């Protein structure tokens, strides 16, 4: 899973303060002579290492690995997915990775036993709930392709009238109410993306409304023939494609529902199922438009509003009387093992400073894009890193690589691993780099916490896009096009290229929101209408997504360059002045068009100014120290340990109100998975709960003060102004 990006990167008015002496403005897309965080001689050495590294990943190997991972369906908990875990571990050992281990977590998993949907009135229709094979794609005849099911659905049986509730968001039920339509005890039919919201949010909303069951279908207006040619003639979803997916309420707390906040290791305490807030109590089933069409075509009641009409050649009605459906779902939701594979290249000089990389292994079916494109890229990345290490080019810091399990169920494997090692990670981890879907097309999308956005942009300048341009130039072009299409007037700049608004929906969540690690997320995107369906497979990738496997290869290169820069930098390339500008932007947006007379944000804005000034001073000192060519290693380590703590300091141990697991005060996600900046403060302001808002504002102000103090101390240390009191 990965949150479909339909939101443009944040367009801010701030400018990056790069390490001024060491890093000229990004004017030349030529070979770099300086790299953020490196002394000149270290940058020259690093450039050589990167050249050797980038030469290793090959499209043929990417394709070979991709074929292995997409050969069979491999849903979380399945024998095939576990076999792939062993395959990865074996590969990593052969490639020279160290401490390769398969970690087992016994978690509350989900599997379907049987699903049934039929229309019983006004006519009989028995839903297919399966995807039909297509000529030319032998994989679609595979007997182990599952039928339609929703992960973590409740079991049960109901025969009831059907209501069409548009996208199944709260405002949709408001409209139904105004039309006199109550969904209590009824079955609700909704579509996936108009606008997009996470299907688990649709399930929770339907559950709160008292519906008996939820059917979620893929309307051709969103990912089918209304978008363009469908499989096998184009990348969009054909008539029978089913978007499977979990409805787990992981926006409340991700991971194993029975161990919220701690790891599901042997002997761990578990809460009773009925106390687990992330387990839905409603039945749910995904449908192809083939199965939804007879239901929609027979519905009566008021004509649905214009923006509720979809891509099928029928008039959509709200229903509620004429169509009755019979839904029967039997699930096997119970404890089962999930496996995380972990390996590392031990750092030659700073083994206790970690760069963590990860991709999930489990797929709804074959996982052509999601996640096996990312898995293939990861395998080429580890092969290249192993080869470098064997030839004596071991990174200074340790690079830890993980293959997650059960991401699709509730971000489960990464969450359990992150919870298990949270204390160690808070001491040792520099950053986490996530790749979920490596490629569904050519358009690069890079996400980063604001402090790492400049180093991400810088790294793209040294990579070559298959178009022949630098990745940086290609990224700018895509970004310019997207902005034009969205009718945004702001120009694309280095300062707004990276998406610094990070919601949930993939494995970065535990590292950012629970552990307090800076995160990066990378992906190439394109027209993609077969998400979570059987058609997302090897055939699709070889005909539409990345037939040459050159974007897979570029992903391995980019992922590795970022990891190697973080692993080898003299001073970690965090840019806190840019972080401050981002936070100021978040605060300004929060107050836009709102009556804020109950809350004085001046103290926060002042604290942001101070944090920005401290960030600038530290940048300047770091630039001076780096350009002098030599930094005392002990001093560098002290500075780096300090800057690594900045992200941790954005955590509030109590979490955001109502969701204690989510501890980051700058980044959060709405129940829909959409990004939510300053989550505690924003939600309080939106509810006009001014007492909570004041409390959250004070927490933010204190964190800013703490981080300003920290940066000022580091700056003094770096300038040799250390005092007894400062130690
Ligand atoms: Zn995914």
């Amino acid at each position: 899973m990965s949150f479909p990006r339909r939101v443009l990167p944040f367009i801010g008015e701030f400018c990056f303060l790069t390490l001024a002496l060491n890093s000229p403005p990004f004017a030349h897309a030529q070979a770099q002579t300086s790299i953020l965080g490196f002394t000149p001689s270290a940058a020259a050495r690093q450039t050589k290492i990167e050249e050797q590294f980038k030469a290793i990943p090959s499209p043929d190997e990417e394709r070979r690995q991709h074929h292995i991972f997409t050969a069979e369906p491999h849903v979380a908990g399945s024998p095939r997915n576990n076999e792939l875990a062993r395959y990865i571990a074996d590969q990593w050992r052969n490639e020279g990775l160290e401490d390769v281990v398969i970690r087992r977590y016994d978690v509350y998993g989900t599997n379907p036993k049987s699903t049934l949907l039929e229309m019983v009135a006004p006519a009989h229709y028995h839903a297919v709930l399966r995807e039909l094979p297509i000529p030319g794609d032998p994989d679609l005849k595979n007997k182990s392709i599952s039928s339609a099911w929703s992960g973590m659905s409740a079991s049960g049986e109901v025969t009831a009238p059907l209501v069409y509730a548009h996208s199944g968001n709260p405002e949709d039920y408001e409209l139904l109410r105004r039309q006199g339509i109550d969904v209590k005890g009824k079955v609700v039919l909704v579509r996936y993306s108009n606008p997009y919201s996470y299907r688990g949010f649709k399930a929770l909303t339907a559950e709160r409304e008292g519906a008996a069951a939820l059917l979620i279908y893929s309307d051709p207006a969103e990912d089918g023939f209304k978008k363009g040619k469908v499989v096998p003639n184009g990348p969009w979803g054909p008539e029978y494609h089913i978007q499977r997916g979990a409805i787990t309420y992981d926006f409340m707390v991700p991971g194993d529902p029975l161990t919220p906040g701690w790891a599901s290791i042997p002997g761990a305490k578990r809460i009773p199922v009925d106390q687990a807030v992330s387990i839905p109590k409603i039945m749910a089933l995904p449908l192809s438009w083939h199965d939804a069409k007879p239901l929609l075509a027979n519905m009566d009641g008021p004509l649905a509003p214009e923006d509720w009409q979809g891509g099928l050649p029928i008039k959509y009605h709200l229903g509620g009387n004429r169509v009755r459906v019979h839904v029967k779902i039997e699930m096997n939701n119970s404890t089962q093992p999930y496996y995380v594979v972990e390996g590392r290249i031990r750092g030659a000089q700073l083994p206790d400073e970690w760069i963590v990389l990860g991709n999930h292994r489990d797929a709804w079916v074959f996982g052509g894009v999601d996640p096996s494109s990312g898995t293939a890229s990861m395998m080429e990345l580890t092969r290249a890193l192993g080869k470098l290490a064997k030839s004596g080019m071991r990174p200074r810091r340790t690079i830890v690589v993980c293959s997650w399990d059960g991401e699709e169920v509730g971000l489960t494997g990464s969450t359990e691993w992150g919870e298990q090692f949270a204390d160690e990670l808070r001491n040792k981890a520099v950053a986490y780099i996530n790749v979920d879907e490596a490629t569904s097309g050519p358009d690069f999308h890079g996400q980063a916490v604001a402090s790492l956005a400049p180093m991400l942009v810088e790294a793209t300048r040294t990579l070559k896009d298959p178009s022949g341009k630098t990745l940086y130039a290609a990224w700018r072009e895509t970004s310019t096009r997207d902005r034009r299409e969205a009718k945004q007037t702001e120009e694309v700049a280095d300062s707004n290229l990276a998406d610094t608004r990070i919601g949930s929906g993939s494995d970065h969540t535990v590292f950012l929101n629970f552990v307090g690690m800076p995160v990066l997320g990378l992906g190439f995107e394109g027209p993609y209408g077969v998400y979570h369906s059987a058609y997302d497979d090897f055939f699709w990738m070889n005909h539409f997504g990345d037939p040459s496997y050159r974007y897979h290869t570029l992903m391995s290169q980019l992922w590795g360059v970022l990891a190697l820069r973080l692993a080898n930098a003299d001073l970690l390339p965090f840019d806190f002045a840019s972080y401050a500008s981002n936070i100021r932007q978040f605060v300004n947006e929060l107050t836009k068009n709102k009556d804020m007379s109950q809350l004085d944000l001046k103290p926060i804005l002042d604290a942001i100014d101070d944090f920005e000034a401290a960030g600038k001073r530290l940048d300047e000192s770091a630039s001076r120290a780096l350009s002098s060519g030599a930094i005392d290693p002990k001093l560098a380590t002290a500075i780096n340990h300090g800057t690594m703590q900045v992200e941790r300091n954005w955590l509030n141990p109590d979490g955001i109100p109502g969701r204690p697991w989510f501890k980051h005060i700058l980044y959060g996600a709405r129940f829909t998975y959409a990004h939510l900046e300053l989550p505690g403060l924003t939600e309080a302001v939106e509810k006009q709960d001014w007492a909570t808002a004041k409390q959250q504002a004070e927490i933010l102000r204190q964190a800013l003060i703490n981080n300003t103090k920290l940066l000022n101390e580091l700056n003094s240390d770096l300038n040799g102004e250390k005092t007894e009191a400062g130690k």
Side-chain angles (χ1 to χ4, degrees):
M1 158 171 63
S2 157
F3 174 65
R5 179 178 61 97
R6 294 294 171 264
V7 187
L8 284 177
F10 148 53
I11 297 172
E13 61 217 294
F14 62 89
C15 59
F16 279 165
L17 285 136
T18 57
L19 300 180
L21 295 172
N22 201 46
S23 165
F26 302 138
H28 312 286
Q30 302 302 322
Q32 271 176 277
T33 52
S34 68
I35 302 174
L36 288 169
F38 289 75
T39 64
S41 61
R45 196 162 52 240
Q46 175 73 8
T47 303
K48 281 197 192 123
I49 293 170
E50 288 178 11
E51 288 311 319
Q52 296 202 37
F53 166 78
K54 285 188 287 189
I56 301 171
S58 87
D60 287 348
E61 269 300 300
E62 300 275 358
R63 186 173 195 276
R64 193 180 70 80
Q65 291 288 1
H66 188 248
H67 207 177
I68 292 168
F69 284 96
T70 56
E72 291 288 333
H74 52 288
V75 77
S78 65
R80 174 63 181 176
N81 199 42
N82 301 342
E83 188 183 324
L84 288 173
R86 291 190 293 275
Y87 166 76
I88 291 172
D90 288 345
Q91 290 277 304
W92 285 356
R93 287 187 188 108
N94 290 338
E95 289 164 2
L97 271 68
E98 291 134 333
D99 309 328
V100 175
V101 57
I102 298 181
R103 296 193 186 274
R104 172 179 168 156
Y105 300 99
D106 290 323
V107 304
Y108 190 74
T110 179
N111 293 286
K113 268 197 219 156
S114 69
T115 52
L116 169 88
L117 168 69
E118 53 184 349
M119 177 164 66
V120 295
H124 188 263
Y125 173 74
H126 189 100
V128 185
L129 304 182
R130 290 211 159 264
E131 288 148 320
L132 295 198
I134 273 169
D137 184 353
D139 284 334
L140 294 171
K141 293 186 187 134
N142 191 312
K143 294 272 185 294
S144 44
I145 296 174
S146 67
S147 65
W149 68 292
S150 298
M152 223 51 102
S153 166
S155 297
E157 182 171 12
V158 66
T159 301
L162 185 70
V163 175
Y164 171 53
H166 187 221
S167 265
N169 296 324
E171 61 273 20
D172 298 322
Y173 292 93
E174 284 304 322
L175 187 140
L176 288 172
R177 251 188 291 283
R178 289 199 297 275
Q179 296 280 339
I181 297 173
D182 182 9
V183 302
K184 240 178 220 86
K186 294 178 184 163
V187 178
V188 175
L189 175 67
V190 304
R191 56 208 259 189
Y192 261 108
S193 312
N194 188 36
Y196 173 86
S197 61
Y198 165 55
R199 68 187 85 71
F201 177 61
K202 298 177 196 292
L204 177 66
T205 309
E207 186 182 303
R208 284 176 171 169
E209 294 286 343
L214 175 70
L215 308 174
I216 315 174
Y217 83 99
S218 300
D219 196 284
E222 285 140 32
D223 61 5
F225 62 77
K226 284 283 179 184
K227 288 285 197 177
K229 284 187 180 163
V230 304
V231 171
N233 303 311
W236 295 101
E239 179 171 357
Y240 287 89
H241 86 281
I242 299 162
Q243 187 192 130
R244 293 162 190 75
I247 57 166
T248 314
Y249 301 162
D250 56 11
F251 41 79
M252 299 296 296
V253 55
D256 179 1
L258 306 187
T259 61
W262 62 93
S264 300
I265 51 178
K269 179 185 90 185
R270 281 163 173 86
I271 61 171
V273 171
D274 59 10
Q275 285 175 23
V277 295
S278 61
I279 299 179
K281 295 180 178 63
I282 189 168
M283 286 188 284
L285 197 59
L287 300 182
S288 65
W289 71 251
H290 175 87
D291 278 339
K293 191 180 173 194
L295 311 179
L296 284 162
N298 277 291
M299 281 164 94
D300 61 353
L303 189 66
E306 194 52 43
D307 60 333
W308 287 36
Q309 297 295 325
L312 293 169
I314 49 172
K315 287 284 174 203
Y316 292 45
H317 290 258
L318 301 180
N321 296 305
R322 188 159 177 258
V323 171
R324 291 175 67 82
V325 292
H326 173 211
V327 181
K328 188 178 179 195
I329 298 174
E330 263 192 278
M331 300 293 294
N332 176 17
N333 294 346
S334 58
T335 299
Q336 67 180 121
Y338 283 3
Y339 298 97
V340 169
V341 192
E342 177 193 320
R344 69 189 62 205
I345 307 268
R346 258 181 251 135
Q349 289 159 33
L350 302 161
D352 284 335
E353 294 177 19
W354 297 356
I355 320 303
V356 185
L357 318 178
N359 155 265
H360 73 91
R361 185 177 67 256
D362 62 305
W364 282 106
V365 191
F366 299 103
V369 171
D370 181 11
S372 302
S373 63
T375 316
S377 288
M378 178 180 71
M379 297 313 284
E380 270 300 83
L381 165 71
T382 54
R383 185 173 73 88
L385 290 175
K387 211 166 167 181
L388 279 195
K390 277 181 186 166
S391 67
M393 274 176 285
R394 187 167 281 283
R396 296 180 67 226
R397 298 183 178 84
T398 295
I399 297 177
V400 179
V401 193
C402 292
S403 165
W404 309 121
D405 201 353
E407 187 272 353
E408 296 291 359
V409 177
L411 313 176
T412 311
S414 57
T415 301
E416 298 311 312
W417 190 88
E419 289 172 342
Q420 183 177 0
F421 299 106
D423 290 341
E424 195 170 2
L425 288 165
R426 286 183 191 129
N427 280 323
K428 298 181 177 174
V430 173
Y432 173 69
I433 312 179
N434 192 57
V435 175
D436 186 325
E437 302 167 5
T439 170
S440 60
D443 299 343
F444 180 62
H445 178 229
Q447 275 196 321
V449 296
S451 57
L452 287 179
M455 76 87 66
L456 171 60
V457 173
E458 184 193 53
T460 62
R461 291 174 164 276
T462 59
L463 289 151
K464 206 162 171 201
D465 186 81
S467 64
K469 301 179 209 68
T470 62
L471 174 57
Y472 168 78
W475 189 11
R476 279 192 74 125
E477 272 181 27
T478 308
S479 197
T480 304
R481 180 203 67 197
D482 287 351
R483 271 158 225 246
R484 203 179 305 125
E485 283 172 7
K487 300 197 164 52
Q488 292 181 344
T489 50
E490 290 88 342
E491 289 292 309
V492 170
D494 287 346
S495 57
N496 61 30
L497 206 43
D499 177 4
T500 59
R501 296 168 180 249
I502 304 173
S504 185
S506 195
D507 291 307
H508 61 276
T509 305
V510 69
F511 301 108
L512 180 64
N513 299 101
F514 186 82
V515 179
M517 280 163 64
V519 301
L520 293 141
L522 316 170
F524 289 94
E525 301 173 353
Y528 174 44
V530 297
Y531 173 68
H532 287 186
S533 80
Y535 303 103
D536 182 15
D537 68 355
F538 189 67
F539 175 94
W540 190 93
M541 187 59 76
N542 280 270
H543 287 79
F544 312 113
D546 185 21
S548 69
Y549 283 83
R550 287 189 297 173
Y551 288 96
H552 282 77
T553 309
L554 179 53
M555 178 57 81
S556 300
Q557 293 169 331
L558 172 64
W559 201 355
V561 166
L562 291 166
L564 288 168
R565 288 188 178 189
L566 289 167
N568 292 338
D570 296 293
L571 293 177
L572 293 170
F574 295 120
D575 186 329
F576 298 115
S578 119
Y579 216 150
S581 306
N582 249 247
I583 301 168
R584 184 182 297 116
Q585 181 77 19
F586 296 165
V587 172
N588 288 338
E589 279 173 19
L590 167 69
T591 60
K592 210 178 254 170
N593 306 324
K594 287 195 195 82
D595 174 10
M596 298 295 292
S597 55
Q598 299 293 310
L599 184 68
D600 181 13
L601 289 172
K602 176 83 167 43
I604 289 184
L605 291 167
D606 289 347
I608 294 171
D609 290 345
D610 293 345
F611 178 57
E612 184 174 44
K616 277 184 204 174
R617 281 194 298 271
L618 183 61
D619 267 358
E620 284 158 13
S621 303
S623 296
R624 259 198 312 276
L626 288 166
S627 61
S628 76
I631 302 179
D632 171 46
K634 267 197 191 140
L635 177 60
T637 296
I639 301 298
N640 289 334
H641 283 187
T643 55
M644 279 159 65
Q645 289 308 311
V646 170
E647 200 69 36
R648 285 14 145 206
N649 289 345
W650 301 127
L651 297 187
N652 173 9
D654 296 335
I656 60 179
R659 293 190 282 169
W661 187 91
F662 289 88
K663 300 185 188 305
H664 207 293
I665 61 174
L666 304 180
Y667 295 106
R670 294 188 187 271
F671 285 20
T672 59
Y673 275 178
H675 60 86
L676 171 66
E677 286 72 47
L678 311 175
L681 181 57
T682 301
E683 287 184 331
V685 168
E686 286 174 353
K687 280 187 225 157
Q688 303 197 354
D689 173 355
W690 299 112
T692 306
K694 276 178 190 144
Q695 192 187 46
Q696 293 295 312
E698 182 54 21
I699 290 167
L700 173 58
R701 194 180 72 92
Q702 276 304 332
L704 284 160
I705 290 170
N706 290 344
N707 269 334
T708 303
K709 185 163 168 278
L710 172 60
L711 295 191
N712 284 336
E713 283 169 9
L714 295 174
N715 190 45
S716 300
D717 291 352
L718 197 48
N719 290 321
E721 297 160 4
K722 208 179 309 175
T723 61
E724 283 306 307
K727 254 306 142 271

